[in-house]
Amino acid sequence: MHTSVETSHSRALFKSNLAGQKTSRVPIWIMRQAGRYLPEYREVRSRMGFEEMCKDPEVASQVTVMPIDKFGFDAAVIFSDILYIVEPFGFDLRYNPAPKIAPLLENPDQSKMFEQFDPAEKLAFVSEVVRATRIRLGDSRAVIGFCGAPFTVFSFLCGYMGAKEMYRPYAYLMKYPKEAEHILTTLAEISLEYLKMQARAGADYVQVFDTAAGELSEAEFRRFSMPYLKYIFEGLKSSKIPSGLYIKNSNHLLDAVSELPLSSFCVDWKTPLKTASEKLKPVSLQGNLNPNLMIGPKEKVEREAVRILNEMADYPGFIFNLGHGILPPTPEENVRRLVATVRAFRAGKAQ
Ligand code: CP3
């Protein structure tokens, strides 16, 4: 049962905003909306491992729609993870809940592990999750598929978990540039097929997460990430699949990002929406409420949401989101207040 108002318009609304059109209200979804802040999620998770949940299309699609049923988000992001792409190459992947990959990418010989594979065969469970989600939601909501950017997946393979371990991908890139290029190229080719597969299964929009790219200088981004993103986004564009990109800490990369053929860019909370608007216009923008503020009193959540809505009131194609994933201690009443605030706001009317 999908109880919230304007349900039947959510999917069309979301798609119009991705196309940069002005609409009657601002659509909303949030990164990690199907996650640990939800008691229903924690209940399922107490009985099953994360990986077991992701690989069971019935369970994964049930978890995908939990936040839709509960809060009335306009789009459902499939319950999965960016790192499953490493398993078919022969890497072992465990979650606890942080991902652990074995062996880590450390020597040049390991680049031979990166042979082409067909995601429709090796990552079939992901298209089944998309299909099962579409069946649960019908036409009412948009479905979002995703993958990790080649640079970010490569970084995790090298042992990156955050800024502190960034020296690891740098070390591999500096010591073995040819092998790194082969790995990144192979990841790009498979990622494009992987996203096309999710679109064929029913995803309305696919988002590439380049979380780690914000740690690069602009020149390094242009060298180590952008060529592979370009390959993916050009491929999606020629297949007419709406596509978007998220980078954590993207402020210094916006000029480069503006050269990519994206439908939408998801802005982190440290990057001012005004700067992103000026640099990326007319691309659809998403963002960028600081997820840390979602813990605070709900009045402050509302105030910050209204500030963002006012700032973007004249920007066609704006979609509300957080600047990164929602944090596990976020109170549900704050999420409810956020969705109500965004739904009540009429585009073009300052409040
Ligand atoms: O709701 C959604 O957004 C859809 C599902 C989703 C997950 N991961 C589920 C997940 C998505 C889109 C991702 C993307 C992802 N995964 C990214 C890019 C976005 C970002 O957060 O920067 C990255 C870097 C990963 C890799 C990853 N997976 C990490 C670093 C972690 C541990 C950190 C954490 O949040 O605990 C995971 C595990 C993970 N992925 C969980 C979930 C719900 C927690 C698993 C659990 O319940 O134990």
Side-chain angles (χ1 to χ4, degrees):
M1 282 298 287
H2 306 288
T3 45
S4 40
V5 287
E6 296 193 81
T7 301
S8 59
H9 301 305
S10 283
R11 189 179 182 198
L13 185 77
F14 190 77
K15 290 210 239 184
S16 300
N17 278 267
L18 283 175
Q21 287 159 8
K22 226 181 164 94
T23 52
S24 59
R25 70 168 174 87
V26 174
I28 177 170
W29 70 285
I30 62 183
M31 290 183 270
R32 292 282 172 97
Q33 66 189 19
R36 284 164 294 177
Y37 73 105
L38 279 177
E40 296 85 345
Y41 173 84
R42 293 197 299 270
E43 198 280 310
V44 178
R45 182 72 180 74
S46 70
R47 293 183 274 114
M48 288 174 96
F50 174 66
E51 175 164 11
E52 206 185 335
M53 287 169 70
C54 288
K55 292 190 175 172
D56 181 332
E58 270 314 298
V59 176
S61 61
Q62 182 203 340
V63 170
T64 300
V65 306
M66 273 177 186
I68 309 295
D69 289 346
K70 193 157 195 179
F71 303 113
F73 290 117
D74 294 297
V77 55
I78 60 157
F79 187 74
S80 193
D81 198 69
I82 63 165
L83 295 176
Y84 285 121
I85 197 168
V86 309
E87 288 186 314
F89 294 118
F91 292 88
D92 187 63
L93 173 68
R94 305 267 158 92
Y95 289 88
N96 188 26
K100 200 165 161 48
I101 295 172
L104 288 180
L105 202 46
E106 276 167 340
N107 65 63
D109 273 359
Q110 288 169 300
S111 69
K112 296 195 188 86
M113 295 173 81
F114 291 81
E115 287 175 10
Q116 291 295 330
F117 67 79
D118 180 4
E121 185 193 328
K122 307 277 186 181
L123 297 167
F125 69 95
V126 178
S127 44
E128 286 176 37
V129 177
V130 177
R131 244 178 248 119
T133 301
R134 176 59 73 209
I135 291 168
R136 284 182 194 270
L137 293 173
D139 265 351
S140 70
R141 314 284 175 153
V143 175
I144 302 175
F146 67 88
C147 75
F151 178 74
T152 288
V153 173
F154 166 80
S155 297
F156 273 98
L157 278 162
C158 293
Y160 158 93
M161 283 302 297
K164 266 204 304 199
E165 299 87 19
M166 203 54 205
Y167 70 93
R168 291 170 178 271
Y170 269 113
Y172 199 95
L173 285 165
M174 295 306 120
K175 286 198 233 171
Y176 315 118
K178 270 219 170 66
E179 285 80 4
E181 192 181 330
H182 167 71
I183 294 167
L184 289 162
T185 304
T186 309
L187 285 170
E189 288 166 357
I190 295 173
S191 299
L192 174 59
E193 286 312 308
Y194 185 32
L195 293 177
K196 282 187 182 172
M197 171 190 95
Q198 295 179 48
R200 278 197 306 275
D204 296 298
Y205 162 69
V206 290
Q207 183 156 305
V208 178
F209 287 93
D210 206 355
T211 311
E215 300 299 323
L216 298 173
S217 71
E218 185 188 346
E220 290 162 344
F221 175 70
R222 286 182 180 277
R223 199 165 139 213
F224 301 130
S225 179
M226 211 169 145
Y228 312 102
L229 293 174
K230 214 173 206 152
Y231 173 86
I232 294 171
F233 289 115
E234 277 169 359
L236 293 170
K237 190 174 181 181
S238 56
S239 300
K240 300 195 163 42
I241 299 168
S243 64
L245 174 65
Y246 171 76
I247 298 175
K248 191 179 175 197
N249 297 328
S250 63
N251 204 1
H252 62 299
L253 303 177
L254 294 173
D255 285 328
V257 168
S258 74
E259 295 167 26
L260 292 168
L262 302 173
S263 323
S264 190
F265 184 70
C266 198
V267 185
D268 69 277
W269 79 90
K270 290 188 219 158
T271 301
L273 280 168
K274 192 168 168 10
T275 317
S277 316
E278 284 162 6
K279 299 228 172 177
L280 301 183
K281 208 173 179 179
V283 168
S284 153
L285 291 179
Q286 310 185 40
N288 76 343
L289 197 142
N290 183 343
N292 298 291
L293 300 184
M294 289 296 292
I295 312 293
K298 56 181 183 298
E299 293 71 27
K300 294 222 165 142
V301 170
E302 176 167 352
R303 201 181 310 153
E304 181 60 6
V306 168
R307 187 192 65 73
I308 290 170
L309 287 161
N310 276 323
E311 190 171 351
M312 297 304 281
D314 293 323
Y315 194 91
F318 178 59
I319 295 167
F320 206 99
N321 205 322
L322 302 185
H324 196 202
I326 188 165
L327 297 165
T330 305
E332 288 186 282
E333 58 170 359
N334 291 359
V335 178
R336 211 167 270 121
R337 177 68 75 98
L338 175 68
V339 175
T341 305
V342 175
R343 279 190 175 254
F345 189 91
R346 296 288 143 185
K349 279 190 198 140
Q351 282 169 11

